Amino acid sequence: MKQVLDKPEKKEARSRPAGLVAYYAAALAIRTSDAGTAAAVVLLALSTAGAGAEGAAAYSGLLAACLTIPHMLGPLSARFLSLMPSARSGLCVSFAVFAVTFGAAGVLIHRDSPLLAAAALAVTGFLGPIVTGGLSSHLSSLVPVEQRSQRRAQSADSLTYAISNSVGNSLVGAAAAVVSPLATVFMLCGLAAAAAVLTSALPLEDTDRASKARASMKNVLLAMVRIKQLRDIVIITYGNVIGYGSLIVLSTTFARSHGLPASVGALLLSVMGLGSLLVAAWLIVRPLALDVVTAAKWSAVISGVFMVVPAFTGVWVAGVAFLVVGGCQALLNTAALAIRREASPPDLRESVFVTMAGLKVGVGTLGLALAGLVPAEHMAYGFLAAGGLSVVAGLLPRSPK
């Protein structure tokens, strides 16, 4: 009897490496595609309208907003995914539609059909939460259940986000310069299509999924509010991401306030991305052993403290601060993935991941927009607000008595 029972376990163990390879390849492909979409839209719109034309910047910004704002509909995206017959088919269809609609939007922008392009971009943005959070909700089913293996896999997942965010915009810029902005759009579509194919190889048939009634938006949102760990990570993540998102603009504001070229701001963001890559890679080698909520809290607090540093320093110290902020973000992302996996009801895990991923992008966009209102002469206030909000978010959740 013991030998009979051992066979399925050995078979499952053999299937995990192949499943993980397909998972991380799909994650890198779809997240790199998603990370580059906004920049690709802006470059294509500017190219079509003429970069120096009156209103070109506003036109490209509005099209990019059509892509990012629908992320706020994360609860609806989660509901859409829950109605699919299986997790694997839902992800494959979402990635494929993402590729088609984004490609259509690129062609429509190129042909100067802004209204139709905006509609296609809105559909692409609606699928964004599934792109960023849908895969992560199923990672645990491909990994042994013991905590160390789960933590290592979550750190590797966090690393795919860091790589994608670093590589996505670089690929867009390089492809647009060497070939054309429209070719860049097609390249990102190809990555999304490849992710759909790779996802079809994932063994996700046996994962728990809620019934249509159970996976309602009301139940998902109530779970995020009522379950303490989920509520805590919502507060920590969203408070931190407003400040983190604002650094995209504040880095350029910092450069201007010191009389430096705008490229210095881009360099600071690259340093921040390097910090994320280094810490995420380290956490694969040394999986997170701390309590995940505690790790998330102090990541937000330390990140917030270092967000304030550039308000009072020169470029070299600011570079160190951005490096630390990036590292804290990788730790926070890993802890957040662990909390969502462990605290979510198993049958609602997919919907919780997608909902939180979508809202996170929307909240981060809010931080970016607010930072754009800060003039160069008052740059310090922007960093103070960004850092203060992250610190407060990290300190708000209380440990249970």
Side-chain angles (χ1 to χ4, degrees), residues 350-399:
E350 182 182 70
S351 296
V352 168
F353 266 79
V354 172
T355 298
M356 291 185 69
L359 293 177
K360 180 181 177 181
V361 172
V363 172
T365 302
L366 173 63
L368 191 154
L370 291 174
L373 302 176
V374 180
E377 60 269 22
H378 297 305
M379 172 268 302
Y381 294 113
F383 283 108
L384 285 168
L389 187 57
S390 184
V391 169
V392 170
L395 294 176
L396 272 178
R398 299 295 181 193
S399 300

Side-chain angles (χ1 to χ4, degrees), residues 208-248:
D208 292 325
R209 304 183 81 232
S211 65
K212 293 179 181 180
R214 167 76 170 148
S216 67
M217 288 187 292
K218 176 183 175 182
N219 285 340
V220 174
L221 294 173
L222 283 176
M224 291 168 56
V225 172
R226 289 176 175 172
I227 299 173
K228 182 177 175 5
Q229 281 194 314
L230 291 180
R231 184 172 68 248
D232 287 348
I233 199 59
V234 164
I235 294 170
I236 295 167
T237 301
Y238 295 169
N240 168 264
V241 79
I242 292 178
Y244 186 77
S246 72
L247 295 182
I248 297 173

Side-chain angles (χ1 to χ4, degrees), residues 61-342:
L62 284 172
L63 286 175
C66 291
L67 184 66
T68 56
I69 290 175
H71 282 74
M72 291 296 289
L73 301 175
L76 284 174
S77 303
R79 180 62 174 161
F80 167 78
L81 187 58
S82 72
L83 296 176
M84 291 290 180
S86 70
R88 186 170 62 175
S89 64
L91 292 172
C92 289
V93 168
S94 298
F95 296 170
V97 175
F98 181 94
V100 171
T101 55
F102 186 60
V107 172
L108 290 166
I109 294 170
H110 185 67
R111 293 183 176 179
D112 198 22
S113 301
L115 292 179
L116 291 175
L121 288 172
V123 175
T124 306
F126 175 79
L127 295 171
I130 299 174
V131 166
T132 52
L135 267 179
S136 294
S137 66
H138 296 285
L139 174 59
S140 61
S141 67
L142 305 174
V143 182
V145 295
E146 54 105 1
Q147 189 181 82
R148 186 176 176 84
S149 296
Q150 290 286 332
R151 293 286 187 271
R152 178 175 281 114
Q154 288 151 0
S155 298
D157 203 31
S158 179
L159 181 62
T160 67
Y161 283 105
I163 293 173
S164 299
N165 287 331
S166 299
V167 170
N169 289 326
S170 300
L171 277 178
V172 167
V178 174
V179 188
S180 72
L182 184 59
T184 300
V185 170
F186 292 146
M187 176 192 69
L188 297 179
C189 292
L191 285 173
V197 174
L198 288 165
T199 302
S200 68
L202 297 180
L204 302 181
E205 297 89 340
D206 297 327
T207 54
D208 292 325
R209 304 183 81 232
S211 65
K212 293 179 181 180
R214 167 76 170 148
S216 67
M217 288 187 292
K218 176 183 175 182
N219 285 340
V220 174
L221 294 173
L222 283 176
M224 291 168 56
V225 172
R226 289 176 175 172
I227 299 173
K228 182 177 175 5
Q229 281 194 314
L230 291 180
R231 184 172 68 248
D232 287 348
I233 199 59
V234 164
I235 294 170
I236 295 167
T237 301
Y238 295 169
N240 168 264
V241 79
I242 292 178
Y244 186 77
S246 72
L247 295 182
I248 297 173
V249 173
L250 289 176
S251 60
T252 303
T253 307
F254 172 88
R256 284 168 40 216
S257 70
H258 286 75
L260 299 169
S263 58
V264 171
L267 180 61
L268 288 173
L269 293 177
S270 298
V271 170
M272 188 164 67
L274 176 63
S276 293
L277 289 169
L278 290 175
V279 171
W282 173 253
L283 289 173
I284 296 173
V285 178
R286 291 291 186 91
L288 184 62
L290 295 173
D291 171 73
V292 284
V293 175
T294 301
K297 283 166 59 77
W298 287 107
S299 295
V301 171
I302 296 170
S303 178
V305 169
F306 278 88
M307 284 182 196
V308 174
V309 169
F312 308 104
T313 60
V315 66
W316 294 109
V317 177
V320 174
F322 272 75
L323 183 73
V324 174
V325 170
C328 289
Q329 194 66 21
L331 179 56
L332 177 54
N333 285 342
T334 300
L337 289 170
I339 291 169
R340 292 179 201 171
R341 182 253 171 188
E342 294 166 10

